[in-house]
Amino acid sequence: MLPTTQTHGNGSLSSRDAARHTAGAKRYKYLRRLLHFRQMDFEFAMWQMLYLFTSPQKVYRNFHYRKQTKDQWARDDPAFLVLLSIWLCVSTVGFGLVLGMGFVETLKLLLWVVFIDCIGVGLLISTLMWVVTNKYLMKHPSKDYDVEWGYAFDVHLNAFYPLLVILHFLQLFFINHIIFINYDWFVGYFVGNTLWLIAIGYYIYITFLGYSALPFLKNTVVLLYPFALLVLLYILSITLGWNFTKGLCSFYKLRVQ
């Protein structure tokens, strides 16, 4: 059954319902649930993580259901963010072990990755996409339709998760073992750079799916244009022998010195 709201004769929401639908009210409800683990649906969050790899369209279909039942596009359950944070911490500790870092260095790396790479960059990208979509991709600009900032952040988290698993987890097994992608030889940087291509390609594609799922946006195909630049950069890296993974490892070591 869909939620009901009280309206005045002119069709506007009552003051009570309007307050309940404000961004501040939704944000407060979301943050409050962070303190109540028993109220989080971790099973559903894990389902979403699985389908972000196999069928991301199903994940965004659920966002449609949320809009119909709870009148918001963004998640109201922080379970996905909590599980993503756990993945991030575990994989970063794994990076510290693979790179031979001590406890203090690994802790520094963890703080950098969580607060700068994930949260800081995520806030920046989400805000940028929120501004761009609302300003340039709206079919009919109106105060009744807009891209929620929380939804923009959710799209970033959805796209970031496969990238995290590929570059911060799967890649760990190849840096100093099996293929040694941290070394300057063709097979190493070919496999490593291919993983980067797949990971960033996933990020671009899932971001596109997120915004194309909104019925009031137009020309969302432009969000796929970075694919051309990504493929060109990949070809150049293989031709010139650039090793992205080696650069990442050097960057991480430089951070904690």
Side-chain angles (χ1 to χ4, degrees), residues 90-102 106 109 172 176-177:
V90 171
S91 62
T92 302
V93 170
F95 245 103
L97 294 174
V98 169
L99 298 181
M101 295 181 181
T106 302
L109 179 64
L172 290 178
N176 295 326
H177 302 86

Side-chain angles (χ1 to χ4, degrees), residues 56-191:
Q57 297 91 338
K58 291 185 178 180
V59 176
Y60 287 115
R61 199 173 301 149
N62 174 260
F63 280 76
H64 272 281
Y65 299 152
R66 184 180 299 108
K67 176 61 177 177
Q68 294 174 350
T69 58
K70 300 183 179 181
D71 196 32
Q72 69 178 64
W73 289 96
R75 289 187 176 96
D76 61 341
D77 184 352
F80 186 92
L81 178 61
V82 172
L83 292 181
L84 180 65
S85 301
I86 294 173
W87 263 102
L88 187 63
C89 291
V90 171
S91 62
T92 302
V93 170
F95 245 103
L97 294 174
V98 169
L99 298 181
M101 295 181 181
F103 174 78
V104 175
E105 292 176 324
T106 302
L107 181 59
K108 288 181 180 179
L109 179 64
L110 179 61
L111 294 176
W112 269 100
V113 170
V114 171
F115 291 103
I116 303 299
D117 297 346
C118 182
I119 298 178
V121 175
L123 293 176
L124 180 63
I125 293 176
S126 302
T127 302
L128 177 63
M129 294 301 298
W130 174 66
V131 171
V132 169
T133 52
N134 279 308
K135 189 172 183 179
Y136 299 107
L137 300 183
M138 297 291 292
K139 289 182 179 178
H140 305 289
S142 169
K143 64 180 181 180
D144 297 325
Y145 298 97
D146 69 330
V147 178
E148 301 169 9
W149 186 91
Y151 181 79
F153 188 64
D154 279 338
V155 171
H156 166 72
L157 293 182
N158 290 343
F160 181 75
Y161 172 68
L163 182 147
L164 171 68
V165 172
I166 295 171
L167 296 184
H168 249 238
F169 181 71
L170 294 180
Q171 190 171 223
L172 290 178
F173 299 98
F174 300 99
I175 290 180
N176 295 326
H177 302 86
I178 304 177
I179 300 179
F180 298 92
I181 59 179
N182 196 26
Y183 292 78
D184 287 325
W185 67 308
F186 177 77
V187 175
Y189 60 74
F190 173 77
V191 173

Side-chain angles (χ1 to χ4, degrees), residues 2 5 29 50 72 75-76 88 100 133 174 180 188 207 225-226 236 240 249:
L2 298 180
T5 56
K29 180 181 178 181
L50 173 63
Q72 69 178 64
R75 289 187 176 96
D76 61 341
L88 187 63
T133 52
F174 300 99
F180 298 92
T207 298
Y225 288 176
L236 283 175
L240 301 177
C249 293

Side-chain angles (χ1 to χ4, degrees), residues 227-242:
F227 259 122
L229 180 61
L230 176 64
V231 173
L232 177 61
L233 184 61
Y234 171 74
I235 295 173
L236 283 175
S237 70
I238 299 300
T239 304
L240 301 177
W242 298 341

